[in-house]
Amino acid sequence: MRSITTLDELRAARLSLDGTVGFVPTMGFLHEGHLSLIRRAKEECTHVVVSIFVNPTQFGPQEDLFRYPRDIERDLKLIAPLGVDLVWMPTTEIMYPQGYQTWVEVEAMTRPLEGAVRPGHFRGVTTVVTKLFNAVQPHKSYFGQKDAQQAAVIRQMVKDLNFPIEIVVCPTMREPDGLAMSSRNVYLDPEQRKAATILFRSLSAAKELYETGERNAETLRKRMKEILASEPLAQVQYVSCADYDSLEELTEIKSKTLLSMAVFIGGTRLIDNFVLE
Ligand code: PAF
């Protein structure tokens, strides 16, 4: 496994990889969710490239860019046994040199949900992912279902910009009590950590209703809100029952559907979702 920083090193190393290349972009502070993406890439591709870069342009001015957990040594130790060929850790100056002024923006589907409460977030994500794709030139790239809207936006971008890259979306990894794994879970104190299972419990309650035949989207949204309201530490930002592809809010469930939510537990913003097939 080689760790590299500069674009020249990356390009030279990439040239030496023949066969298929699987790419896992990350912001570091890796957990089992990231490792599952790397394992899947390893199963499906000849070579695997991982990037670690905390992308400043996807954080809003009031968000946690400077607090975002970082531990490169720990990350490299976790990746080492997985058979990764290259770990690329570019600097901010490499990704956004002085005078930078080019952006990639997906339109309609970045407006609801995360886009509505995190203005500019997806512009930062699609721009950095485009730059990472251009540099790494992978055949396949791996994203987690936990960031459902991000995965949908990247799929749309790859289609619209004719990137010859297959986007593979892998299942959300969960703690034994259902909490979706996230680098931000380290912000939670023990009481908040307990309260954080409310997202999973609320999604599970809505799914149960769906499984007993309920198809009214508002009834499912109400059920999720009721359960969330039972947790005093939870402050709901949004709760959604939307079409899986367009992300438009539904009246009635007729096809693949995304139940999703963003909830503050104390000062920590958590997101989670379930897909109703
Ligand atoms: O999901 C993430 O960790 C980030 O949004 C990504 C895709 C690495 C872009 O910075």
Side-chain angles (χ1 to χ4, degrees):
M1 180 172 100
R2 268 186 73 195
S3 315
I4 51 188
T5 301
T6 69
L7 252 178
D8 285 347
E9 283 172 303
L10 175 77
R11 288 189 176 131
R14 172 65 184 89
L15 276 178
S16 71
L17 303 179
D18 45 15
T20 55
V21 172
F23 175 47
V24 182
T26 80
M27 298 208 299
F29 211 71
L30 305 180
H31 51 68
E32 195 49 43
H34 299 108
L35 304 186
S36 73
L37 305 182
I38 297 173
R39 287 193 196 101
R40 175 85 175 263
K42 185 73 193 159
E43 272 165 34
E44 297 183 352
C45 305
T46 325
H47 299 287
V48 178
V49 179
V50 173
S51 66
I52 300 178
F53 176 63
V54 182
N55 174 35
T57 66
Q58 69 188 73
F59 290 79
Q62 309 304 324
E63 293 183 0
D64 56 344
L65 171 63
F66 297 107
R67 248 183 106 201
Y68 196 83
R70 293 160 169 89
D71 192 341
I72 292 289
E73 264 180 42
R74 175 179 163 276
D75 288 343
L76 293 177
K77 272 193 200 138
L78 286 171
I79 302 174
L82 302 183
V84 167
D85 296 80
L86 298 175
V87 182
W88 185 33
M89 299 179 290
T91 60
T92 306
E93 292 67 37
I94 292 172
M95 298 309 278
Y96 299 105
Q98 229 196 345
Y100 189 85
Q101 49 183 302
T102 303
W103 301 95
V104 177
E105 203 157 355
V106 174
E107 296 190 343
M109 64 191 304
T110 62
R111 288 188 195 120
L113 308 176
E114 291 295 288
V117 290
R118 302 186 69 190
H121 169 68
F122 285 117
R123 184 175 93 138
V125 170
T126 44
T127 299
V128 82
V129 171
T130 297
K131 290 173 66 78
L132 295 167
F133 282 176
N134 282 341
V136 175
Q137 307 218 343
H139 297 86
K140 290 185 168 197
S141 186
Y142 296 79
F143 293 84
Q145 174 60 34
K146 154 107 183 340
D147 293 300
Q149 189 175 11
Q150 168 172 281
V153 166
I154 303 254
R155 266 201 312 262
Q156 184 69 40
M157 177 187 86
V158 160
K159 187 166 156 235
D160 290 349
L161 297 182
N162 308 116
F163 277 111
I165 301 172
E166 185 187 331
I167 300 303
V168 181
V169 181
C170 304
T172 302
M173 299 302 284
R174 297 184 180 278
E175 302 291 352
D177 62 5
L179 178 67
M181 290 189 185
S182 161
S183 305
R184 290 186 169 100
N185 290 350
V186 290
Y187 297 151
L188 301 167
D189 69 24
E191 192 194 358
Q192 293 166 343
R193 170 64 188 79
K194 239 169 128 187
T197 59
I198 198 70
L199 283 83
F200 177 74
R201 286 186 276 135
S202 133
L203 288 162
S204 303
K207 186 167 177 239
E208 250 172 56
L209 269 186
Y210 173 77
E211 281 168 353
T212 58
E214 182 59 64
R215 292 295 181 269
N216 184 296
E218 189 51 26
T219 307
L220 265 54
R221 283 189 286 267
K222 266 197 192 137
R223 184 77 185 125
M224 291 188 278
K225 284 180 196 159
E226 265 166 27
I227 305 278
L228 290 168
S230 71
E231 173 48 67
L233 293 184
Q235 258 194 305
V236 180
Q237 199 171 34
Y238 68 77
V239 162
S240 161
C241 176
D243 178 77
Y244 180 80
D245 292 308
S246 69
L247 303 179
E248 280 166 21
E249 287 304 315
L250 294 171
T251 311
E252 210 191 328
I253 300 176
K254 290 185 183 145
S255 54
K256 200 168 171 181
T257 295
L258 183 72
L259 299 177
S260 66
M261 57 181 59
V263 179
F264 280 95
I265 302 286
T268 304
R269 184 174 182 279
L270 301 175
I271 58 171
D272 199 356
N273 67 82
F274 275 11
V275 179
L276 305 178
E277 298 287 347

